[in-house]
Amino acid sequence: MDGGENTDNKQVYAVQLLQACGGDPRQALEQLKIAARTLRTAKMYKPKSEEVVVAVDNVSKTYKMGKAHVEALKDVSIRVHKGEFVAITGTSGSGKSTLLQLMGGLDKPSKGVITVHDQNLSKLRDGKLSRFRNRTIGFVFQFFYLQPFLRLQTNIEVPAMFARTKRSVRKAKSTELAGTVGLSDRLKHYPRELSGGQMQRAAIARALQNDPDILLADEPTGNLDHANAVAIFELFKQIRDERGATVVVVTHDLALAGMADRAVHMSDGRVVS
């Protein structure tokens, strides 16, 4: 990348950041300061394990929209190690959610290779890929996707139903997980009887039902206030520490990203730091 292109990318990022902060230059400056602190920390960080559980190699993703082709990802390469808590940050349209979807096998790259536990996801047929995802990866989304007609305990059990786990086993597991996320007293409640923070905790418990090695979360705090958002990130750290899970979270909030072991910053479909 030459100096002119680098300058253009910085200008584009500055404009996107200002827009994301509602045009408030002071808020944008504060986010830049947080990003600088996070980058300094990342330079000193070394993962505890050398084992790579997710490898993204020279991945590009292009979507066809009518007659136009949109490049969502451009030659992205990253490594995620066992037991890491990684935040992927960037403004809207930077490609961070697309990257997470590819890492979870929800879509396939146009170019490049994604391997999870040494499995090339693009080479797995649909049935095998679904089974691999169900036992290896837990997903958490911004919108909780809890079934409104099911009580909390049954909502948490849903992934185990697809795995054909015995009812007694999945019930015991859902009870255990409800305790982990602080919802033991809400098992008989319906989603409409829960707060936003409680529903996201329930969604995290559901994602852990099949004991996945990897937890992927796409803007999990987007609908929460700051206090609940911090609590959710603390819960991710707890899951990493107590269960040894690898956690990858997409967020636009640089302050929250600073709570992770390291942050991967994206802009215009590329990893910039």
Side-chain angles (χ1 to χ4, degrees):
M1 181 183 295
D2 61 31
E5 185 178 353
N6 191 39
T7 300
D8 289 343
N9 286 339
K10 288 180 179 179
Q11 291 174 343
V12 169
Y13 181 76
V15 171
Q16 291 176 337
L17 181 61
L18 188 60
Q19 290 172 342
C21 293
D24 186 340
R26 284 183 291 187
Q27 184 180 351
L29 181 59
E30 183 60 30
Q31 289 288 302
L32 282 173
K33 290 178 180 178
I34 293 170
R37 289 197 298 270
T38 303
L39 183 59
R40 286 196 298 271
T41 301
K43 288 180 178 178
M44 297 183 290
Y45 169 76
K46 290 185 178 180
K48 295 179 181 179
S49 172
E50 294 184 1
E51 180 182 348
V52 174
V53 294
V54 180
V56 179
D57 291 302
N58 306 115
V59 164
S60 297
K61 181 64 179 179
T62 302
Y63 293 102
K64 186 176 181 181
M65 302 181 68
K67 295 182 179 180
H69 289 79
V70 178
E71 289 185 284
L73 294 177
K74 305 170 185 175
D75 197 32
V76 172
S77 295
I78 65 170
R79 295 287 186 274
V80 180
H81 294 80
K82 181 178 175 61
E84 273 197 297
F85 178 12
V86 179
I88 302 176
T89 72
T91 56
S92 178
S94 61
K96 56 189 187 296
S97 291
T98 299
L99 176 59
L100 195 78
Q101 290 170 7
L102 296 180
M103 291 168 67
L106 297 177
D107 201 354
K108 294 183 178 181
S110 303
K111 295 180 181 178
V113 176
I114 295 180
T115 55
V116 177
H117 287 308
D118 297 322
Q119 286 272 9
N120 183 338
L121 297 187
S122 294
K123 292 187 176 181
L124 295 179
R125 294 186 176 182
D126 289 346
K128 191 172 183 179
L129 178 59
S130 295
R131 291 190 293 272
F132 180 78
R133 279 198 307 255
N134 198 36
R135 68 173 183 267
T136 307
I137 304 171
F139 294 94
V140 181
F141 302 98
Q142 178 177 349
F143 302 102
F144 319 118
Y145 297 121
L146 299 176
Q147 298 300 320
F149 51 86
L150 297 179
R151 296 183 189 275
L152 177 60
Q153 182 153 28
T154 308
N155 262 294
I156 295 174
E157 292 176 18
V158 167
M161 295 177 186
F162 287 103
R164 299 183 179 180
T165 304
K166 290 183 179 179
R167 184 177 182 181
S168 59
V169 175
R170 68 179 191 244
K171 185 175 182 180
K173 185 69 175 180
S174 63
T175 301
E176 173 206 334
L177 290 171
T180 298
V181 301
L183 293 175
S184 293
D185 59 343
R186 295 289 188 272
L187 284 171
K188 300 300 181 184
H189 288 62
Y190 289 97
R192 64 177 178 273
E193 299 171 318
L194 304 176
S195 68
Q198 289 172 332
M199 284 193 283
Q200 192 57 285
R201 286 173 176 271
I204 293 170
R206 180 185 59 196
L208 295 172
Q209 174 64 236
N210 290 337
D211 288 318
D213 298 322
I214 302 166
L215 189 63
L216 303 180
D218 190 4
E219 293 282 8
T221 61
N223 291 327
L224 305 179
D225 60 32
H226 181 69
N228 274 306
V230 170
I232 291 298
F233 266 67
E234 289 291 353
L235 180 56
F236 286 138
K237 291 169 68 175
Q238 177 187 336
I239 291 167
R240 185 268 320 271
D241 293 339
E242 295 181 358
R243 295 177 174 270
T246 301
V247 183
V248 182
V249 181
V250 161
T251 180
H252 65 275
D253 191 318
L254 296 178
L256 292 175
M259 297 175 65
D261 294 329
R262 64 183 173 100
V264 175
H265 298 287
M266 298 193 66
S267 178
D268 193 30
R270 302 181 187 275
V271 172
V272 294
S273 64

